[in-house]
Amino acid sequence: MPPKTEQEPAKPEPMAVQFTYVENYNQLPKVVQKLSRSSHLILDCEGQSIGSPEGILSLISVGTAGSKEIFVLDVLRLHDRTHPLLRPFLLLLQNPTVLKIVWDGRMDFAEILATYGVPLRGLLDLQIAEVVSRAGAREEQEYQRRGRLRRVFDKEITMDSSLRPLMRDFHVVAGLQGIIRECKIVENLAKDDEVVAMHKDGNSSFWLNRPLPPNLCAYAAADIKLISLTYDFFIRKAWITAANHATLVCKSTRYTSYFDSREKRQFANDMNVARLLPLDVVHEPEPTQYQCYLCMRMLNLGCFETLVTAPAPAPAYTGGRRGRGGSVQSRREPAGRPVPSHRRPCCRICAMCAKAGKVVIATDWLTL
Ligand SMILES: [Zn+2]
């Protein structure tokens, strides 16, 4: 890179990081040995239209703790999933005891499963840790959560107070760049303008070029550094602690493993639900769950709009079918908790995104 000699403040150079390009099976034993020694790994994927039906995975970037070492694996060259030298690496990816730090691991999960047939395990998704920190460590208020919904829904929906109860637990997920800037995690976040512009063009087929231009390899490696710095920041801020670590891993598993095909990610994009944290990730699963007719997720009853036909006798409801008619569930009932008798076929997130996108979906009440 040429030295900067201008007097005026110039845009900083793209972040430069050291990395090893892995394009030969013979390199893998040493790579796996180094990765296995690390307390945790940082992982990220690049490719053409990844997470869509046209997806082709090009690179898997993996870093050791603190991104001290970064390996950029050329998936197009290391494509033989039955190769004996690749097997230990694939075992590492699916080993739940090897912690992997990701930012939005949904596409990583879908792509690695589609390409190598192995499910990523042991993920801690920082995108979820960030959402959890809002009402937790950062003590954000309800209006701040609602304010973020404006990034997904237009005014007509966010200003309609009758819809608020239906969006009570909706959380907008953030992008890595946005959080890095907002929290000033990196002083001068400079991404390679050329690569950023190539991404904005919407055609990411450049990831399939071989030999891969050096600036693309460097771009992929720099993302590992950024995720690593973000992870360190989250630890320092106690957004990730020993106390919430296991919960975050469980949530991350539910968040990412849903995407067991590239088509599912496409559905999430088409419905514009991908920017909201799914309700089966927000809430811990209850013993009885119900399936959403649209996203097909198994969800707690509270994730659906429900209908109450009669107030339950206090203090506890012991079962039995209620009569017909009634009103939409209210949050307070004078005598005991209201017992829903019906639910909508689609979860509240699917229903609200369909409403926003003017998509017609099933809305008939289902008897519970
Ligand atoms: Zn749904």
Side-chain angles (χ1 to χ4, degrees):
M1 287 170 201
K4 276 197 230 88
T5 52
E6 302 87 351
Q7 290 301 306
E8 68 272 18
K11 190 177 186 309
E13 290 289 338
M15 178 184 279
V17 295
Q18 297 284 323
F19 66 94
T20 303
Y21 196 64
V22 184
E23 54 181 333
N24 193 307
Y25 291 102
N26 293 326
Q27 291 173 272
L28 284 168
K30 202 165 186 185
V31 171
V32 171
Q33 191 186 49
K34 288 186 174 175
L35 295 178
S36 303
R37 284 187 196 142
S38 182
S39 59
H40 61 270
L41 304 175
I42 324 286
L43 186 135
D44 191 35
C45 290
E46 302 286 358
Q48 170 188 285
S49 309
I50 58 171
S52 80
E54 297 78 41
I56 300 176
L57 183 59
S58 170
L59 303 174
I60 301 177
S61 311
V62 194
T64 58
S67 64
K68 287 194 179 71
E69 289 207 74
I70 298 173
F71 302 99
V72 178
L73 277 76
D74 187 332
V75 173
L76 298 188
R77 296 208 165 132
L78 305 170
H79 64 276
D80 179 6
R81 61 166 86 172
T82 64
H83 198 289
L85 290 176
L86 186 66
R87 204 176 131 72
F89 177 70
L90 298 182
L91 286 173
L92 200 68
L93 293 182
Q94 55 192 310
N95 185 341
T97 67
V98 178
L99 181 66
K100 291 129 196 137
I101 308 299
V102 293
W103 183 283
D104 189 354
R106 294 175 291 183
M107 288 193 281
D108 304 317
F109 187 95
E111 285 301 324
I112 288 175
L113 185 62
T115 307
Y116 289 122
V118 300
L120 269 174
R121 292 277 179 257
L123 296 187
L124 195 164
D125 199 321
L126 298 182
Q127 197 176 43
I128 293 174
E130 193 276 327
V131 170
V132 170
S133 76
R134 293 174 191 167
R138 287 193 275 173
E139 298 180 345
E140 281 194 2
Q141 303 298 309
E142 171 63 8
Y143 75 90
Q144 291 169 292
R145 183 193 66 82
R146 280 210 305 268
R148 285 193 181 89
L149 294 179
R150 286 189 221 121
R151 298 178 194 173
V152 177
F153 299 116
D154 60 23
K155 254 188 173 178
E156 191 189 322
I157 285 181
T158 54
M159 300 299 280
D160 185 339
S161 57
S162 71
L163 297 176
R164 276 187 191 169
L166 297 176
M167 300 191 287
R168 60 183 179 270
D169 45 8
F170 285 16
H171 297 278
V172 178
V173 294
L176 177 60
Q177 312 299 328
I179 291 302
I180 287 175
R181 286 204 176 88
E182 187 185 319
C183 302
K184 299 183 173 60
I185 294 170
V186 179
E187 196 104 325
N188 287 314
L189 174 63
K191 296 210 96 178
D192 189 321
D193 286 343
E194 195 188 334
V195 185
V196 171
M198 287 160 85
H199 269 129
K200 277 193 178 150
D201 274 356
N203 180 2
S204 48
S205 60
F206 57 84
W207 284 112
L208 305 183
N209 292 340
R210 291 297 182 276
L212 201 59
N215 65 328
L216 287 183
C217 302
Y219 181 93
D223 270 357
I224 294 296
K225 178 84 180 167
L226 293 177
I227 296 171
S228 179
L229 290 169
T230 304
Y231 177 57
D232 295 344
F233 177 87
F234 282 19
I235 300 262
R236 279 202 305 280
K237 289 283 178 182
W239 296 3
I240 299 172
T241 63
N244 74 4
H245 190 279
T247 305
L248 289 175
V249 169
C250 283
K251 285 183 184 293
S252 302
T253 302
R254 297 203 294 274
Y255 188 47
T256 54
S257 61
Y258 169 79
F259 292 94
D260 56 5
S261 75
R262 288 168 168 145
E263 285 69 24
K264 271 196 182 163
R265 189 71 176 90
Q266 186 65 43
F267 161 80
N269 283 345
D270 293 346
M271 284 294 295
N272 201 29
V273 296
R275 297 200 60 203
L276 293 166
L277 197 63
L279 296 177
D280 58 339
V281 179
V282 174
H283 303 288
E284 294 309 305
E286 291 170 359
T288 306
Q289 296 206 299
Y290 303 84
Q291 191 164 36
C292 169
Y293 279 31
L294 209 57
C295 66
M296 309 306 282
R297 290 176 183 274
M298 296 303 295
L299 298 152
N300 298 342
L301 185 56
C303 303
F304 297 85
E305 185 183 1
T306 54
L307 189 69
V308 174
T309 52
Y317 171 64
T318 53
R321 182 70 50 85
R322 297 282 148 192
R324 296 171 74 84
S327 59
V328 172
Q329 181 182 2
S330 64
R331 278 175 296 169
R332 288 189 205 93
E333 284 286 325
R337 285 172 62 84
V339 178
S341 59
H342 296 75
R343 69 158 173 118
R344 296 283 194 201
C346 304
C347 73
R348 287 186 278 110
I349 283 190
C350 284
M352 205 53 70
C353 289
K355 186 182 176 69
K358 303 198 172 15
V359 177
V360 178
I361 58 166
T363 55
D364 46 319
W365 290 108
L366 303 179
T367 308
L368 292 169

